[in-house]
Amino acid sequence: MNKIQSNIKKWWHTLAAREQKIVTTGGTIAIILIIYTLIWQPFSSAVNNAKKDVINKRNLVTWMQHATARITALRANGNMRQNISNTSLLTFVDNSLRSNNLNRYVTQIKQADNSKVALNFNSAPFDELISWLTKIWQQDGINTTNATFQKTDNQGLVKVSLILSK
């Protein structure tokens, strides 16, 4: 280490005063750039990303609160009637999806048991889906036993998992 240090000192003393100033200025600038690139910029970037994430999460919570309020209001309105005859719940739900043009958003539909049907939707229009759920609840007495809504990147479209029951 001492040999390297003495070689650097010898080299430094061989430089003219003007060259020493240039090397000092360049070294200082290089150190500042290294500190900025390796420490400040990644930290600043992480803070900005965290701020954006918080804003997105708050927007999602607000959206979910509105959706919950709407679902609750829709459930509170109307009279339920039992209109399903001897048709299986799976067949009834499938036919209802087709007649309401929602079948194109269904990625999976399966009979969970005799009185339950599980459905998955991808990029389904939220308003149309809620209207359909309200309709089958009010007119046909089909309850939403479990619902999971996930916001997508597209405004008004959701990814949904539902369990419907008689």
Side-chain angles (χ1 to χ4, degrees):
M1 185 71 170
N2 286 337
K3 188 175 182 178
I4 294 172
Q5 212 171 9
S6 69
N7 285 340
I8 291 173
K9 282 183 182 180
K10 285 179 190 176
W11 170 77
W12 181 258
H13 291 296
T14 61
L15 297 175
R18 183 174 179 212
E19 291 172 333
Q20 287 178 351
K21 286 180 184 178
I22 291 171
V23 169
T24 302
T25 304
T28 303
I29 291 172
I31 289 172
I32 291 171
L33 285 174
I34 288 171
I35 289 172
Y36 175 79
T37 304
L38 296 178
I39 298 171
W40 183 257
Q41 196 268 338
F43 176 74
S44 177
S45 213
V47 167
N48 288 336
N49 288 341
K51 286 179 182 178
K52 288 177 185 175
D53 194 38
V54 166
I55 290 168
N56 288 340
K57 298 285 184 194
R58 284 183 181 158
N59 289 340
L60 180 60
V61 166
T62 302
W63 179 83
M64 291 176 105
Q65 287 170 338
H66 291 316
T68 301
R70 182 161 183 207
I71 290 170
T72 303
L74 290 172
R75 281 186 175 169
N77 294 333
N79 299 323
M80 284 182 27
R81 289 182 291 166
Q82 195 73 16
N83 271 352
I84 302 176
S85 59
N86 292 333
T87 309
S88 79
L89 181 61
L90 178 64
T91 304
F92 177 83
V93 169
D94 188 50
N95 290 339
S96 180
L97 286 167
R98 289 180 197 285
S99 67
N100 287 280
N101 263 344
L102 290 170
N103 58 320
R104 61 184 169 200
Y105 305 111
V106 175
T107 56
Q108 183 180 22
I109 182 170
K110 64 180 180 179
Q111 186 88 33
D113 61 39
N114 286 341
S115 63
K116 291 183 181 177
V117 172
L119 298 121
N120 292 322
F121 294 85
N122 196 16
S123 296
F126 178 77
D127 292 337
E128 291 178 37
L129 192 59
I130 294 301
S131 295
W132 175 72
L133 287 171
T134 303
K135 178 181 172 185
I136 64 171
W137 174 66
Q138 290 176 342
Q139 295 178 3
D140 306 305
I142 301 206
N143 294 311
T144 304
T145 305
N146 190 354
T148 304
F149 291 83
Q150 292 178 336
K151 186 177 180 181
T152 63
D153 292 336
N154 298 324
Q155 183 75 23
L157 299 181
V158 290
K159 182 177 179 184
V160 182
S161 294
L162 295 172
I163 296 179
L164 303 177
S165 63
K166 284 186 188 182

